[in-house]
Amino acid sequence: NAGVTQTPKFQVLKTGQSMTLQCAQDMNHNSMYWYRQDPGMGLRLIYYSASEGTTDKGEVPNGYNVSRLNKREFSLRLESAAPSQTSVYFCASSDRLAVYEQYFGPGTRLTVT
Amino acid sequence: EDQVTQSPEALRLQEGESSSLNCSYTVSGLRGLFWYRQDPGKGPEFLFTLYSAGEEKEKERLKATLTKKESFLHITAPKPEDSATYLCAVQDWEAQTGANNLFFGTGTRLTVIP
């Protein structure tokens, strides 16, 4: 039982490059979330998926897209990376939406130069 | 504006020296308050949920309490392995939109010295 897994762990991009962050959970949770964590700021919600087939914007969605591929997997895509997107990205899941006993992955540390 | 503030930003304790961390919040309609532990280079780990003023939860050396405006995380006789950043998050509900929002504080970085 791995919980929530994320790939890659580290990534360096040049401005304008694109990439997809992968997330998978094996807890049969319905809801999944993408956050970013920056120094001096709390975790901020980028996008979330209440259930398979649905996605919604969070607090800071600009510059990102998401796909809920199936119940297990939720990916985050940066179409044209910018230095302001340098951050640590966390995926999380919960049994259902608005149940914030969330389970987090280990994070992806992204640097955009 | 809804806000979650944690204090202190950093706390150094000697092993066995009890203390408390504070999380104060201003939200329109509290649905729940959550405490997480985050170790360096890892994702947050869920600790507690509190739903109403007066509620308390305990886990080993940790005890969380909730009032109408703040929550405390009490650490009794801490050990070095308790060193981590402790995050507080508050869930509110907007009556007008029916939206549930979750706001995280910036955390308290706890160091327990042997």
Side-chain angles (χ1 to χ4, degrees), chain A residues 35 37 40-43 90 98-107 109, chain B residues 34 36 38 41-44 46 49 51 87 91 100-102 104-106:
Chain A
Y35 291 91
Q37 186 174 41
M41 304 186 75
L43 283 157
F90 289 102
V99 171
Y100 287 110
E101 296 174 9
Q102 296 180 344
Y103 294 84
F104 284 80
R109 185 173 295 275
Chain B
F34 306 83
Y36 287 84
Q38 186 173 22
K42 296 191 176 182
F46 171 75
T49 306
Y51 291 106
L87 303 175
Q91 178 186 357
N100 278 280
N101 304 304
L102 187 70
F104 278 87
T106 54

Side-chain angles (χ1 to χ4, degrees), chain A residues 29-83:
Chain A
H29 284 167
N30 290 299
S31 301
M32 298 184 73
Y33 313 80
W34 276 105
Y35 291 91
R36 60 179 289 173
Q37 186 174 41
D38 301 293
M41 304 186 75
L43 283 157
R44 293 182 293 169
L45 184 64
I46 304 171
Y47 270 93
Y48 65 95
S49 171
S51 59
E52 186 178 354
T54 70
T55 61
D56 282 289
K57 296 178 181 179
E59 181 185 357
V60 288
N62 291 344
Y64 306 95
N65 285 300
V66 291
S67 295
R68 182 75 182 267
L69 303 170
N70 48 54
K71 191 171 185 179
R72 291 187 64 248
E73 299 173 286
F74 189 37
S75 63
L76 178 72
R77 183 161 178 83
L78 286 70
E79 291 290 352
S80 179

Side-chain angles (χ1 to χ4, degrees), chain B residues 99-114:
Chain B
N100 278 280
N101 304 304
L102 187 70
F103 302 98
F104 278 87
T106 54
T108 292
R109 188 173 65 255
L110 174 67
T111 304
V112 182
I113 305 160

Side-chain angles (χ1 to χ4, degrees), chain B residues 15-28:
Chain B
E15 184 172 0
E17 180 187 1
S18 301
S19 188
S20 296
L21 314 182
N22 178 264
C23 172
S24 62
Y25 61 90
T26 54
V27 295
S28 51

